[in-house]
mmCIF file of all heavy atoms in Angstrom:
data_model
loop_
_atom_site.group_PDB
_atom_site.id
_atom_site.type_symbol
_atom_site.label_atom_id
_atom_site.label_comp_id
_atom_site.label_asym_id
_atom_site.label_seq_id
_atom_site.Cartn_x
_atom_site.Cartn_y
_atom_site.Cartn_z
ATOM 1 N N MET B 17 48.237 -12.176 0.607
ATOM 2 C CA MET B 17 47.905 -11.140 1.570
ATOM 3 C C MET B 17 47.006 -10.083 0.936
ATOM 4 O O MET B 17 46.160 -9.506 1.605
ATOM 5 C CB MET B 17 49.202 -10.512 2.077
ATOM 6 C CG MET B 17 49.030 -9.681 3.302
ATOM 7 S SD MET B 17 48.655 -10.711 4.701
ATOM 8 C CE MET B 17 48.943 -9.598 6.007
ATOM 9 N N THR B 18 47.193 -9.846 -0.341
ATOM 10 C CA THR B 18 46.380 -8.854 -1.040
ATOM 11 C C THR B 18 44.911 -9.259 -1.036
ATOM 12 O O THR B 18 44.023 -8.421 -0.895
ATOM 13 C CB THR B 18 46.867 -8.693 -2.501
ATOM 14 O OG1 THR B 18 48.236 -8.325 -2.470
ATOM 15 C CG2 THR B 18 46.069 -7.647 -3.232
ATOM 16 N N TRP B 19 44.658 -10.569 -1.171
ATOM 17 C CA TRP B 19 43.283 -11.057 -1.181
ATOM 18 C C TRP B 19 42.583 -10.793 0.143
ATOM 19 O O TRP B 19 41.372 -10.499 0.166
ATOM 20 C CB TRP B 19 43.251 -12.556 -1.488
ATOM 21 C CG TRP B 19 43.641 -12.846 -2.909
ATOM 22 C CD1 TRP B 19 44.832 -13.336 -3.342
ATOM 23 C CD2 TRP B 19 42.851 -12.611 -4.069
ATOM 24 N NE1 TRP B 19 44.832 -13.436 -4.704
ATOM 25 C CE2 TRP B 19 43.625 -13.003 -5.184
ATOM 26 C CE3 TRP B 19 41.582 -12.126 -4.288
ATOM 27 C CZ2 TRP B 19 43.153 -12.917 -6.481
ATOM 28 C CZ3 TRP B 19 41.098 -12.038 -5.585
ATOM 29 C CH2 TRP B 19 41.882 -12.426 -6.655
ATOM 30 N N ILE B 20 43.322 -10.886 1.215
ATOM 31 C CA ILE B 20 42.732 -10.637 2.537
ATOM 32 C C ILE B 20 42.315 -9.181 2.657
ATOM 33 O O ILE B 20 41.212 -8.869 3.119
ATOM 34 C CB ILE B 20 43.730 -11.025 3.648
ATOM 35 C CG1 ILE B 20 43.976 -12.538 3.633
ATOM 36 C CG2 ILE B 20 43.205 -10.571 5.000
ATOM 37 C CD1 ILE B 20 45.078 -12.992 4.550
ATOM 38 N N PHE B 21 43.167 -8.275 2.212
ATOM 39 C CA PHE B 21 42.832 -6.849 2.269
ATOM 40 C C PHE B 21 41.656 -6.522 1.344
ATOM 41 O O PHE B 21 40.785 -5.727 1.690
ATOM 42 C CB PHE B 21 44.042 -5.993 1.897
ATOM 43 C CG PHE B 21 45.121 -6.006 2.938
ATOM 44 C CD1 PHE B 21 46.439 -6.168 2.574
ATOM 45 C CD2 PHE B 21 44.816 -5.855 4.283
ATOM 46 C CE1 PHE B 21 47.452 -6.181 3.535
ATOM 47 C CE2 PHE B 21 45.810 -5.855 5.248
ATOM 48 C CZ PHE B 21 47.127 -6.020 4.872
ATOM 49 N N LEU B 22 41.644 -7.138 0.179
ATOM 50 C CA LEU B 22 40.552 -6.930 -0.757
ATOM 51 C C LEU B 22 39.231 -7.432 -0.166
ATOM 52 O O LEU B 22 38.212 -6.743 -0.229
ATOM 53 C CB LEU B 22 40.840 -7.647 -2.082
ATOM 54 C CG LEU B 22 39.760 -7.538 -3.149
ATOM 55 C CD1 LEU B 22 39.585 -6.080 -3.579
ATOM 56 C CD2 LEU B 22 40.110 -8.416 -4.339
ATOM 57 N N ALA B 23 39.268 -8.606 0.436
ATOM 58 C CA ALA B 23 38.065 -9.161 1.049
ATOM 59 C C ALA B 23 37.595 -8.288 2.211
ATOM 60 O O ALA B 23 36.393 -8.033 2.359
ATOM 61 C CB ALA B 23 38.330 -10.584 1.523
ATOM 62 N N ALA B 24 38.519 -7.820 3.033
ATOM 63 C CA ALA B 24 38.149 -6.949 4.154
ATOM 64 C C ALA B 24 37.553 -5.641 3.647
ATOM 65 O O ALA B 24 36.567 -5.132 4.202
ATOM 66 C CB ALA B 24 39.367 -6.681 5.020
ATOM 67 N N GLY B 25 38.098 -5.092 2.582
ATOM 68 C CA GLY B 25 37.555 -3.868 1.991
ATOM 69 C C GLY B 25 36.159 -4.079 1.450
ATOM 70 O O GLY B 25 35.282 -3.221 1.611
ATOM 71 N N LEU B 26 35.930 -5.214 0.811
ATOM 72 C CA LEU B 26 34.592 -5.516 0.304
ATOM 73 C C LEU B 26 33.584 -5.696 1.436
ATOM 74 O O LEU B 26 32.435 -5.272 1.323
ATOM 75 C CB LEU B 26 34.636 -6.766 -0.576
ATOM 76 C CG LEU B 26 35.299 -6.602 -1.933
ATOM 77 C CD1 LEU B 26 35.403 -7.946 -2.648
ATOM 78 C CD2 LEU B 26 34.543 -5.601 -2.781
ATOM 79 N N VAL B 27 34.016 -6.303 2.519
ATOM 80 C CA VAL B 27 33.129 -6.471 3.675
ATOM 81 C C VAL B 27 32.745 -5.109 4.241
ATOM 82 O O VAL B 27 31.576 -4.847 4.530
ATOM 83 C CB VAL B 27 33.796 -7.359 4.753
ATOM 84 C CG1 VAL B 27 33.036 -7.284 6.064
ATOM 85 C CG2 VAL B 27 33.876 -8.797 4.274
ATOM 86 N N VAL B 28 33.715 -4.234 4.402
ATOM 87 C CA VAL B 28 33.441 -2.895 4.938
ATOM 88 C C VAL B 28 32.517 -2.133 3.987
ATOM 89 O O VAL B 28 31.556 -1.486 4.424
ATOM 90 C CB VAL B 28 34.755 -2.123 5.182
ATOM 91 C CG1 VAL B 28 34.478 -0.670 5.489
ATOM 92 C CG2 VAL B 28 35.539 -2.774 6.311
ATOM 93 N N ALA B 29 32.770 -2.216 2.694
ATOM 94 C CA ALA B 29 31.914 -1.540 1.720
ATOM 95 C C ALA B 29 30.492 -2.091 1.775
ATOM 96 O O ALA B 29 29.520 -1.335 1.699
ATOM 97 C CB ALA B 29 32.488 -1.696 0.324
ATOM 98 N N GLY B 30 30.364 -3.392 1.926
ATOM 99 C CA GLY B 30 29.041 -4.008 2.038
ATOM 100 C C GLY B 30 28.304 -3.552 3.286
ATOM 101 O O GLY B 30 27.095 -3.299 3.256
ATOM 102 N N LEU B 31 29.025 -3.436 4.385
ATOM 103 C CA LEU B 31 28.401 -2.967 5.621
ATOM 104 C C LEU B 31 27.953 -1.514 5.509
ATOM 105 O O LEU B 31 26.908 -1.138 6.044
ATOM 106 C CB LEU B 31 29.361 -3.145 6.795
ATOM 107 C CG LEU B 31 29.611 -4.591 7.232
ATOM 108 C CD1 LEU B 31 30.668 -4.629 8.334
ATOM 109 C CD2 LEU B 31 28.329 -5.247 7.700
ATOM 110 N N VAL B 32 28.724 -0.711 4.797
ATOM 111 C CA VAL B 32 28.336 0.686 4.582
ATOM 112 C C VAL B 32 27.039 0.743 3.772
ATOM 113 O O VAL B 32 26.113 1.491 4.101
ATOM 114 C CB VAL B 32 29.468 1.472 3.881
ATOM 115 C CG1 VAL B 32 28.987 2.817 3.385
ATOM 116 C CG2 VAL B 32 30.646 1.636 4.823
ATOM 117 N N VAL B 33 26.972 -0.059 2.723
ATOM 118 C CA VAL B 33 25.761 -0.095 1.895
ATOM 119 C C VAL B 33 24.565 -0.546 2.728
ATOM 120 O O VAL B 33 23.478 0.038 2.650
ATOM 121 C CB VAL B 33 25.965 -1.012 0.671
ATOM 122 C CG1 VAL B 33 24.653 -1.259 -0.054
ATOM 123 C CG2 VAL B 33 26.987 -0.413 -0.272
ATOM 124 N N LEU B 34 24.747 -1.586 3.520
ATOM 125 C CA LEU B 34 23.652 -2.063 4.374
ATOM 126 C C LEU B 34 23.227 -1.006 5.383
ATOM 127 O O LEU B 34 22.040 -0.857 5.686
ATOM 128 C CB LEU B 34 24.059 -3.347 5.104
ATOM 129 C CG LEU B 34 24.115 -4.604 4.244
ATOM 130 C CD1 LEU B 34 24.631 -5.780 5.089
ATOM 131 C CD2 LEU B 34 22.769 -4.916 3.659
ATOM 132 N N GLY B 35 24.171 -0.252 5.910
ATOM 133 C CA GLY B 35 23.843 0.814 6.844
ATOM 134 C C GLY B 35 23.026 1.914 6.185
ATOM 135 O O GLY B 35 22.052 2.412 6.759
ATOM 136 N N ILE B 36 23.398 2.285 4.977
ATOM 137 C CA ILE B 36 22.664 3.326 4.249
ATOM 138 C C ILE B 36 21.253 2.848 3.928
ATOM 139 O O ILE B 36 20.267 3.576 4.132
ATOM 140 C CB ILE B 36 23.424 3.718 2.968
ATOM 141 C CG1 ILE B 36 24.718 4.439 3.337
ATOM 142 C CG2 ILE B 36 22.565 4.578 2.056
ATOM 143 C CD1 ILE B 36 25.655 4.654 2.168
ATOM 144 N N VAL B 37 21.136 1.630 3.441
ATOM 145 C CA VAL B 37 19.821 1.084 3.115
ATOM 146 C C VAL B 37 18.969 0.956 4.376
ATOM 147 O O VAL B 37 17.780 1.273 4.367
ATOM 148 C CB VAL B 37 19.960 -0.275 2.391
ATOM 149 C CG1 VAL B 37 18.619 -0.950 2.241
ATOM 150 C CG2 VAL B 37 20.604 -0.082 1.034
ATOM 151 N N GLY B 38 19.577 0.530 5.458
ATOM 152 C CA GLY B 38 18.840 0.430 6.718
ATOM 153 C C GLY B 38 18.330 1.775 7.196
ATOM 154 O O GLY B 38 17.200 1.891 7.675
ATOM 155 N N ALA B 39 19.138 2.805 7.045
ATOM 156 C CA ALA B 39 18.708 4.147 7.437
ATOM 157 C C ALA B 39 17.544 4.615 6.569
ATOM 158 O O ALA B 39 16.606 5.252 7.062
ATOM 159 C CB ALA B 39 19.883 5.121 7.329
ATOM 160 N N ARG B 40 17.575 4.306 5.279
ATOM 161 C CA ARG B 40 16.466 4.686 4.394
ATOM 162 C C ARG B 40 15.199 3.942 4.765
ATOM 163 O O ARG B 40 14.102 4.508 4.704
ATOM 164 C CB ARG B 40 16.837 4.413 2.942
ATOM 165 C CG ARG B 40 17.930 5.351 2.430
ATOM 166 C CD ARG B 40 18.230 5.123 0.983
ATOM 167 N NE ARG B 40 17.059 5.483 0.197
ATOM 168 C CZ ARG B 40 16.981 5.317 -1.126
ATOM 169 N NH1 ARG B 40 17.985 4.794 -1.787
ATOM 170 N NH2 ARG B 40 15.888 5.672 -1.771
ATOM 171 N N VAL B 41 15.315 2.677 5.149
ATOM 172 C CA VAL B 41 14.149 1.897 5.555
ATOM 173 C C VAL B 41 13.540 2.479 6.823
ATOM 174 O O VAL B 41 12.322 2.621 6.939
ATOM 175 C CB VAL B 41 14.517 0.409 5.750
ATOM 176 C CG1 VAL B 41 13.414 -0.352 6.460
ATOM 177 C CG2 VAL B 41 14.829 -0.234 4.415
ATOM 178 N N VAL B 42 14.381 2.841 7.775
ATOM 179 C CA VAL B 42 13.881 3.439 9.023
ATOM 180 C C VAL B 42 13.178 4.758 8.735
ATOM 181 O O VAL B 42 12.097 5.030 9.272
ATOM 182 C CB VAL B 42 15.041 3.626 10.031
ATOM 183 C CG1 VAL B 42 14.615 4.493 11.202
ATOM 184 C CG2 VAL B 42 15.531 2.274 10.524
ATOM 185 N N ALA B 43 13.747 5.572 7.865
ATOM 186 C CA ALA B 43 13.123 6.854 7.518
ATOM 187 C C ALA B 43 11.784 6.629 6.824
ATOM 188 O O ALA B 43 10.804 7.331 7.108
ATOM 189 C CB ALA B 43 14.058 7.663 6.623
ATOM 190 N N ALA B 44 11.710 5.663 5.931
ATOM 191 C CA ALA B 44 10.459 5.369 5.243
ATOM 192 C C ALA B 44 9.413 4.835 6.219
ATOM 193 O O ALA B 44 8.228 5.181 6.121
ATOM 194 C CB ALA B 44 10.694 4.365 4.121
ATOM 195 N N ALA B 45 9.830 4.004 7.161
ATOM 196 C CA ALA B 45 8.892 3.467 8.146
ATOM 197 C C ALA B 45 8.346 4.576 9.036
ATOM 198 O O ALA B 45 7.151 4.584 9.371
ATOM 199 C CB ALA B 45 9.584 2.397 8.993
ATOM 200 N N ARG B 46 9.181 5.527 9.407
ATOM 201 C CA ARG B 46 8.707 6.656 10.208
ATOM 202 C C ARG B 46 7.707 7.494 9.430
ATOM 203 O O ARG B 46 6.687 7.932 9.962
ATOM 204 C CB ARG B 46 9.872 7.517 10.661
ATOM 205 C CG ARG B 46 10.695 6.879 11.746
ATOM 206 C CD ARG B 46 11.822 7.784 12.190
ATOM 207 N NE ARG B 46 12.603 7.140 13.236
ATOM 208 C CZ ARG B 46 13.749 7.586 13.669
ATOM 209 N NH1 ARG B 46 14.280 8.684 13.150
ATOM 210 N NH2 ARG B 46 14.392 6.949 14.625
ATOM 211 N N GLY B 47 7.984 7.731 8.149
ATOM 212 C CA GLY B 47 7.056 8.489 7.315
ATOM 213 C C GLY B 47 5.729 7.776 7.160
ATOM 214 O O GLY B 47 4.659 8.399 7.224
ATOM 215 N N LEU B 48 5.775 6.469 6.959
ATOM 216 C CA LEU B 48 4.544 5.688 6.844
ATOM 217 C C LEU B 48 3.763 5.711 8.146
ATOM 218 O O LEU B 48 2.534 5.849 8.139
ATOM 219 C CB LEU B 48 4.872 4.249 6.446
ATOM 220 C CG LEU B 48 3.680 3.318 6.278
ATOM 221 C CD1 LEU B 48 2.746 3.825 5.193
ATOM 222 C CD2 LEU B 48 4.169 1.913 5.956
ATOM 223 N N ASN B 49 4.460 5.605 9.253
ATOM 224 C CA ASN B 49 3.800 5.661 10.552
ATOM 225 C C ASN B 49 3.106 7.008 10.741
ATOM 226 O O ASN B 49 1.986 7.073 11.260
ATOM 227 C CB ASN B 49 4.818 5.419 11.669
ATOM 228 C CG ASN B 49 4.152 5.272 13.011
ATOM 229 O OD1 ASN B 49 3.011 4.850 13.098
ATOM 230 N ND2 ASN B 49 4.870 5.625 14.059
ATOM 231 N N ARG B 50 3.750 8.066 10.321
ATOM 232 C CA ARG B 50 3.169 9.405 10.410
ATOM 233 C C ARG B 50 1.892 9.502 9.563
ATOM 234 O O ARG B 50 0.872 10.035 10.001
ATOM 235 C CB ARG B 50 4.198 10.437 9.955
ATOM 236 C CG ARG B 50 3.854 11.863 10.273
ATOM 237 C CD ARG B 50 4.971 12.828 9.859
ATOM 238 N NE ARG B 50 6.303 12.385 10.314
ATOM 239 C CZ ARG B 50 7.314 12.079 9.504
ATOM 240 N NH1 ARG B 50 7.178 12.171 8.198
ATOM 241 N NH2 ARG B 50 8.472 11.699 9.992
ATOM 242 N N GLU B 51 1.927 8.952 8.344
ATOM 243 C CA GLU B 51 0.759 8.988 7.472
ATOM 244 C C GLU B 51 -0.385 8.155 8.042
ATOM 245 O O GLU B 51 -1.551 8.564 7.973
ATOM 246 C CB GLU B 51 1.126 8.488 6.085
ATOM 247 C CG GLU B 51 2.003 9.438 5.301
ATOM 248 C CD GLU B 51 2.315 8.932 3.905
ATOM 249 O OE1 GLU B 51 1.496 8.151 3.368
ATOM 250 O OE2 GLU B 51 3.357 9.315 3.365
ATOM 251 N N VAL B 52 -0.073 6.986 8.578
ATOM 252 C CA VAL B 52 -1.107 6.134 9.162
ATOM 253 C C VAL B 52 -1.747 6.835 10.357
ATOM 254 O O VAL B 52 -2.970 6.802 10.525
ATOM 255 C CB VAL B 52 -0.521 4.764 9.569
ATOM 256 C CG1 VAL B 52 -1.497 3.975 10.422
ATOM 257 C CG2 VAL B 52 -0.145 3.975 8.329
ATOM 258 N N ALA B 53 -0.961 7.490 11.181
ATOM 259 C CA ALA B 53 -1.502 8.216 12.326
ATOM 260 C C ALA B 53 -2.401 9.361 11.867
ATOM 261 O O ALA B 53 -3.450 9.614 12.473
ATOM 262 C CB ALA B 53 -0.366 8.752 13.195
ATOM 263 N N GLU B 54 -2.017 10.029 10.781
ATOM 264 C CA GLU B 54 -2.832 11.128 10.251
ATOM 265 C C GLU B 54 -4.178 10.613 9.748
ATOM 266 O O GLU B 54 -5.231 11.202 10.029
ATOM 267 C CB GLU B 54 -2.079 11.826 9.120
ATOM 268 C CG GLU B 54 -2.795 13.015 8.535
ATOM 269 C CD GLU B 54 -1.991 13.677 7.437
ATOM 270 O OE1 GLU B 54 -0.750 13.684 7.529
ATOM 271 O OE2 GLU B 54 -2.620 14.177 6.498
ATOM 272 N N VAL B 55 -4.171 9.514 9.008
ATOM 273 C CA VAL B 55 -5.421 8.937 8.509
ATOM 274 C C VAL B 55 -6.276 8.447 9.670
ATOM 275 O O VAL B 55 -7.503 8.632 9.670
ATOM 276 C CB VAL B 55 -5.126 7.804 7.506
ATOM 277 C CG1 VAL B 55 -6.379 7.039 7.157
ATOM 278 C CG2 VAL B 55 -4.476 8.366 6.253
ATOM 279 N N HIS B 56 -5.664 7.852 10.647
ATOM 280 C CA HIS B 56 -6.409 7.393 11.825
ATOM 281 C C HIS B 56 -7.081 8.575 12.528
ATOM 282 O O HIS B 56 -8.231 8.480 12.946
ATOM 283 C CB HIS B 56 -5.472 6.667 12.789
ATOM 284 C CG HIS B 56 -6.157 6.156 14.014
ATOM 285 N ND1 HIS B 56 -7.041 5.110 13.978
ATOM 286 C CD2 HIS B 56 -6.097 6.563 15.300
ATOM 287 C CE1 HIS B 56 -7.489 4.892 15.208
ATOM 288 N NE2 HIS B 56 -6.934 5.762 16.022
ATOM 289 N N ALA B 57 -6.378 9.678 12.637
ATOM 290 C CA ALA B 57 -6.957 10.867 13.262
ATOM 291 C C ALA B 57 -8.124 11.396 12.437
ATOM 292 O O ALA B 57 -9.133 11.834 12.994
ATOM 293 C CB ALA B 57 -5.887 11.944 13.422
ATOM 294 N N GLN B 58 -8.008 11.338 11.112
ATOM 295 C CA GLN B 58 -9.104 11.794 10.262
ATOM 296 C C GLN B 58 -10.333 10.918 10.444
ATOM 297 O O GLN B 58 -11.456 11.417 10.541
ATOM 298 C CB GLN B 58 -8.676 11.787 8.789
ATOM 299 C CG GLN B 58 -7.678 12.863 8.431
ATOM 300 C CD GLN B 58 -7.180 12.732 7.013
ATOM 301 O OE1 GLN B 58 -7.542 11.786 6.300
ATOM 302 N NE2 GLN B 58 -6.331 13.655 6.586
ATOM 303 N N PHE B 59 -10.148 9.601 10.501
ATOM 304 C CA PHE B 59 -11.282 8.708 10.707
ATOM 305 C C PHE B 59 -11.897 8.904 12.087
ATOM 306 O O PHE B 59 -13.116 8.846 12.246
ATOM 307 C CB PHE B 59 -10.877 7.248 10.511
ATOM 308 C CG PHE B 59 -10.834 6.821 9.074
ATOM 309 C CD1 PHE B 59 -9.680 6.292 8.536
ATOM 310 C CD2 PHE B 59 -11.941 6.943 8.260
ATOM 311 C CE1 PHE B 59 -9.629 5.894 7.213
ATOM 312 C CE2 PHE B 59 -11.903 6.549 6.932
ATOM 313 C CZ PHE B 59 -10.740 6.020 6.405
ATOM 314 N N SER B 60 -11.058 9.138 13.077
ATOM 315 C CA SER B 60 -11.575 9.376 14.427
ATOM 316 C C SER B 60 -12.406 10.659 14.460
ATOM 317 O O SER B 60 -13.456 10.711 15.092
ATOM 318 C CB SER B 60 -10.434 9.474 15.429
ATOM 319 O OG SER B 60 -9.759 8.243 15.524
ATOM 320 N N ALA B 61 -11.950 11.689 13.760
ATOM 321 C CA ALA B 61 -12.687 12.945 13.717
ATOM 322 C C ALA B 61 -14.022 12.764 13.007
ATOM 323 O O ALA B 61 -15.063 13.300 13.463
ATOM 324 C CB ALA B 61 -11.860 14.016 13.022
ATOM 325 N N LYS B 62 -14.056 12.000 11.940
ATOM 326 C CA LYS B 62 -15.322 11.762 11.233
ATOM 327 C C LYS B 62 -16.268 10.941 12.092
ATOM 328 O O LYS B 62 -17.471 11.185 12.107
ATOM 329 C CB LYS B 62 -15.045 11.040 9.910
ATOM 330 C CG LYS B 62 -14.454 11.933 8.859
ATOM 331 C CD LYS B 62 -14.275 11.195 7.548
ATOM 332 C CE LYS B 62 -13.663 12.104 6.508
ATOM 333 N NZ LYS B 62 -13.499 11.420 5.222
ATOM 334 N N ARG B 63 -15.753 9.965 12.808
ATOM 335 C CA ARG B 63 -16.588 9.139 13.664
ATOM 336 C C ARG B 63 -17.175 9.986 14.795
ATOM 337 O O ARG B 63 -18.347 9.845 15.146
ATOM 338 C CB ARG B 63 -15.775 7.984 14.256
ATOM 339 C CG ARG B 63 -16.628 6.994 15.019
ATOM 340 C CD ARG B 63 -15.838 5.827 15.595
ATOM 341 N NE ARG B 63 -14.764 5.384 14.711
ATOM 342 C CZ ARG B 63 -13.537 5.093 15.134
ATOM 343 N NH1 ARG B 63 -13.231 5.200 16.410
ATOM 344 N NH2 ARG B 63 -12.613 4.691 14.303
ATOM 345 N N ASP B 64 -16.372 10.885 15.368
ATOM 346 C CA ASP B 64 -16.850 11.763 16.437
ATOM 347 C C ASP B 64 -17.897 12.748 15.913
ATOM 348 O O ASP B 64 -18.847 13.075 16.613
ATOM 349 C CB ASP B 64 -15.685 12.529 17.074
ATOM 350 C CG ASP B 64 -14.759 11.609 17.862
ATOM 351 O OD1 ASP B 64 -15.181 10.487 18.202
ATOM 352 O OD2 ASP B 64 -13.608 12.024 18.113
ATOM 353 N N ALA B 65 -17.728 13.204 14.690
ATOM 354 C CA ALA B 65 -18.656 14.185 14.109
ATOM 355 C C ALA B 65 -20.023 13.542 13.840
ATOM 356 O O ALA B 65 -21.050 14.209 13.944
ATOM 357 C CB ALA B 65 -18.093 14.769 12.821
ATOM 358 N N ARG B 66 -20.019 12.256 13.523
ATOM 359 C CA ARG B 66 -21.303 11.575 13.246
ATOM 360 C C ARG B 66 -22.053 11.261 14.527
ATOM 361 O O ARG B 66 -23.260 11.072 14.506
ATOM 362 C CB ARG B 66 -21.041 10.280 12.481
ATOM 363 C CG ARG B 66 -20.653 10.551 11.053
ATOM 364 C CD ARG B 66 -20.544 9.328 10.192
ATOM 365 N NE ARG B 66 -20.746 8.058 10.850
ATOM 366 C CZ ARG B 66 -20.489 6.899 10.318
ATOM 367 N NH1 ARG B 66 -20.014 6.866 9.095
ATOM 368 N NH2 ARG B 66 -20.705 5.774 10.947
ATOM 369 N N GLY B 67 -21.315 11.176 15.620
ATOM 370 C CA GLY B 67 -21.965 10.900 16.898
ATOM 371 C C GLY B 67 -22.026 9.475 17.136
ATOM 372 O O GLY B 67 -22.452 8.679 17.694
#
C-alpha cells in the first residue's frame, strides 16, 4: 500500500513540475510575441517613411 501512495505522490509532484514549466513557456511565448510585434511595427514605420 505504501508503494501506491508513493507513486501517487510522485505523479502529483510531476504534474506540478509540468504545470510550472508550462506556465514559464506561456510567459516566454507572450514575451516573444510582444517583441516580434514591436519589430514588425518598426519595419512598418520604416517602410512608410520611405514611401
